[in-house]
Amino acid sequence: MPAAWLERSRAGLVDDLSRRLSSRIGSVFRLVGEAGSRELAEATLAALLKDLRDNKREAVRGVVLDMVQRLAARGLSFADVRHYVQSTRALLLGAIDAAVDLQPGAWRRIDDWLFDLMLVATMHFVAQREEAMQERAAQLEVRQMESQLVELKAAFAEKTRLLELIRQASTPIAPVVDGIVVVPLVGVFDAFRAEVLTEKLLHAVTEARAQVVILDISGVPVFDAEAAQLIIRLGQAVRLLGSEMILVGMSPDIARTIVELGVSLGGLRTLGSLQAGLAQALALRRLKIAPL
Amino acid sequence: MSVAKREYSGASLSSFLLALGHSQALVEKILRDAGVERIDPDRWYDFDWSIGIYQRIAREIGRGAVIAVGKKIIESAEFPPGIDSVQSLLTSLGAAYHLNVRGSQVGDILCTLEDDHSATLEWSAGGPCALNFGIIEGCCARYGARALVEHGAGGCMETGAPACIYHVSW
């Protein structure tokens, strides 16, 4: 029985295998030392003994999987796996050759087990390395995405800052005379811009104690029903603060559009030019511009 | 000049820089930063200064590019007639290294052949670890063999270990 033979030879084989494993330079077995190598040698021979007794090849899988899992983090390499398999094979086959009491066929049974040891060890090693590579690739992807996110956040913050700068610059509020402010609108006047202007204008009216606001729309290229509604709402908000809004710079095209759309400007005072608007505002404030 | 002074051959450093090919602008910048315009192949340079050049370039171009450079150096280098196999080339690396360095404590490259298709190299010679991978791969590629090169457990020179161990199978 090869199992009985192995039982007798086991202690010597464990000694030799653990010594061989731990003496290899640059190997993970050297790193775990003689004690760690002995543990593996004992487990390997115990697995062989069990499989020989049970006439199976199951224990070999367990011992190899355990080795790969335990030593992967310490830097297990293919060269280590090969050294482990080659050392185990060389020792066992050498011991069999020296044995005198083994039945014919014992060599074959052990060699088959060693072949399985090689296959299973290689398979588990490759699987473990594949898993580690996938993990590294995933970590790399996460790092790349995090880096992209940081760049996007920075770009978004910069864009927001520039947009705010443009908005501030595109809706200037100029206090021209005490109690009179002029708001020249240039460019498309949409709901978003109306919201920004309303907030800014109401604040300026309160701060400057403005009684008249002159809104110049001569720089607005398109004046549709929505823009008209926004202007009316702006006028109502200004009026709630006790000020009056004068709409100036209305071109003939805009006037025609307003008529065609049937939009009522809701009692907003409208004048053709900024000069006319300013004159009206001065009159409302009982002021006049006199030559020095 | 003292014999014990550790020095590195300009020819060897120059062949490494030439192998970088398209990265010449980077090479020029690194050399300028190190205080020279070019490397003279006929003179010897301070050992640590030379290794510093290797390390700086390795940091700049990355591990993959350094491996490729190491491979290219060996594949295109000229060797004596007796060097005609992976085994003989790997075992001659130490001697080749000593032709390019002088002085004491410059390290070594020791090769142990394990069987017809595997070897272990104990590498205490200076230079980036990735370059050594490339050199070993190049030794195999020069004779048409595809190599599996693995860093042994137990530390790397780049993290303070006294030597790097490489296991190579082809």
Side-chain angles (χ1 to χ4, degrees), chain A residues 261-286:
Chain A
L261 290 170
V263 176
S264 163
L265 288 178
L268 268 183
R269 198 187 291 256
T270 59
L271 291 165
S273 66
L274 181 59
Q275 290 92 326
L278 190 57
Q280 180 72 52
L282 288 168
L284 284 170
R285 291 277 293 121
R286 295 178 187 279

Side-chain angles (χ1 to χ4, degrees), chain A:
Chain A
M1 276 289 286
W5 164 81
L6 184 63
E7 190 70 84
R8 288 196 304 277
S9 318
R10 194 168 159 181
L13 287 168
V14 166
D15 284 347
D16 289 347
L17 183 57
S18 56
R19 205 175 306 117
R20 269 203 195 203
L21 291 175
S22 62
S23 63
R24 182 175 155 88
I25 188 169
S27 73
V28 75
F29 307 116
R30 191 163 186 161
L31 202 65
V32 297
E34 185 134 9
S37 299
R38 172 168 284 276
E39 201 181 314
L40 175 61
E42 278 171 351
T44 304
L45 289 162
L48 171 60
L49 193 60
K50 184 170 187 340
D51 282 346
L52 287 174
R53 280 182 178 148
D54 298 349
N55 206 18
K56 285 181 179 172
R57 308 241 180 87
E58 285 302 320
V60 63
R61 309 185 83 83
V63 72
V64 166
L65 180 61
D66 183 58
M67 174 192 73
V68 171
Q69 284 178 339
R70 271 192 310 115
L71 299 181
R74 307 292 301 269
L76 181 75
S77 66
F78 178 71
D80 291 328
V81 172
R82 202 176 64 169
H83 179 61
Y84 163 66
V85 173
Q86 279 182 334
S87 300
T88 307
R89 186 170 192 272
L91 282 172
L92 279 169
L93 297 186
I96 291 171
D97 283 344
V100 288
D101 55 344
L102 269 178
Q103 289 174 350
W107 187 94
R108 175 64 188 270
R109 285 184 65 192
I110 292 176
D111 194 44
D112 283 351
W113 188 89
L114 286 166
F115 186 71
D116 261 23
L117 178 73
M118 181 192 70
L119 288 182
V120 174
T122 310
M123 183 270 288
H124 279 304
F125 175 75
V126 171
Q128 186 279 328
R129 185 163 275 193
E130 187 75 19
E131 198 179 297
M133 281 171 72
Q134 282 172 4
E135 202 173 304
R136 270 204 294 272
Q139 284 170 351
L140 194 67
E141 273 178 33
V142 168
R143 274 205 298 276
Q144 280 174 341
M145 285 170 79
E146 281 173 349
S147 154
Q148 282 173 350
L149 191 64
V150 168
E151 282 173 22
L152 280 172
K153 276 182 179 170
F156 182 72
E158 179 62 10
K159 197 175 169 185
T160 307
R161 192 186 67 80
L162 288 172
L163 216 55
E164 185 58 29
L165 207 66
I166 291 166
R167 277 183 205 132
Q168 296 289 339
S170 64
T171 50
I173 297 172
V176 287
V177 179
D178 188 30
I180 301 172
V181 295
V182 173
V183 183
L185 279 184
V186 178
V188 176
F189 188 67
D190 56 12
F192 186 74
R193 203 166 160 205
E195 191 186 330
V196 173
L197 178 63
T198 305
E199 189 186 331
K200 203 174 158 188
L201 183 59
L202 296 182
H203 184 72
V205 164
T206 313
E207 201 162 75
R209 291 181 185 157
Q211 290 175 345
V212 186
V213 174
I214 304 170
L215 187 68
D216 184 357
I217 59 166
S218 59
V220 178
V222 180
F223 199 85
D224 54 12
E226 189 197 358
Q229 290 301 334
L230 293 170
I231 296 281
I232 292 164
R233 242 177 273 147
L234 184 62
Q236 286 168 345
V238 168
R239 225 172 298 157
L240 282 173
L241 293 180
S243 302
E244 187 167 347
M245 193 164 89
I246 301 171
L247 196 61
V248 302
M250 193 174 291
S251 67
D253 282 346
I254 290 179
R256 200 178 311 118
T257 306
I258 288 173
V259 171
E260 282 169 7
L261 290 170
V263 176
S264 163
L265 288 178
L268 268 183
R269 198 187 291 256
T270 59
L271 291 165
S273 66
L274 181 59
Q275 290 92 326
L278 190 57
Q280 180 72 52
L282 288 168
L284 284 170
R285 291 277 293 121
R286 295 178 187 279
L287 295 170
K288 70 173 180 179
I289 296 171
L292 287 170

Side-chain angles (χ1 to χ4, degrees), chain B residues 5 11-12 15 17 31 38 45 79 113 136 144 152:
Chain B
K5 188 174 187 307
S12 179
S15 70
L17 299 179
L31 289 180
R38 57 182 284 276
Y45 292 86
F79 287 96
L113 296 173
I136 299 167

Side-chain angles (χ1 to χ4, degrees), chain B residues 22-155:
Chain B
H22 62 274
S23 308
Q24 285 310 310
L26 173 74
V27 170
E28 283 167 18
K29 187 186 176 305
I30 288 172
L31 289 180
R32 267 200 310 277
D33 290 349
V36 296
E37 283 301 312
R38 57 182 284 276
I39 296 294
D40 181 353
D42 296 324
R43 60 163 284 205
W44 291 83
Y45 292 86
D46 178 75
F47 184 84
D48 292 330
W49 181 89
S50 305
I51 299 303
I53 297 283
Y54 280 108
Q55 302 288 13
R56 172 87 198 276
I57 288 172
R59 275 200 301 275
E60 294 287 339
I61 66 175
R63 181 181 165 79
V66 174
I67 290 177
V69 169
K71 210 170 161 182
K72 194 171 155 187
I73 289 171
I74 294 293
E75 283 180 305
S76 58
E78 283 185 28
F79 287 96
I83 309 285
D84 55 4
S85 65
V86 176
Q87 288 95 330
S88 58
L89 185 48
L90 286 174
T91 49
S92 73
L93 285 176
Y97 173 68
H98 282 289
L99 290 176
N100 291 296
V101 288
R102 61 187 187 190
S104 55
Q105 295 184 320
V106 288
D108 208 343
I109 303 168
L110 301 171
C111 175
T112 308
L113 296 173
E114 289 168 342
D115 56 41
D116 288 348
H117 296 97
S118 69
T120 292
L121 291 105
E122 189 176 354
W123 204 295
S124 54
C129 181
L131 185 70
N132 305 340
F133 266 91
I135 288 171
I136 299 167
E137 280 181 20
C139 289
C140 299
R142 193 176 165 104
Y143 299 100
R146 192 169 191 182
L148 170 66
V149 184
E150 295 175 297
H151 200 294

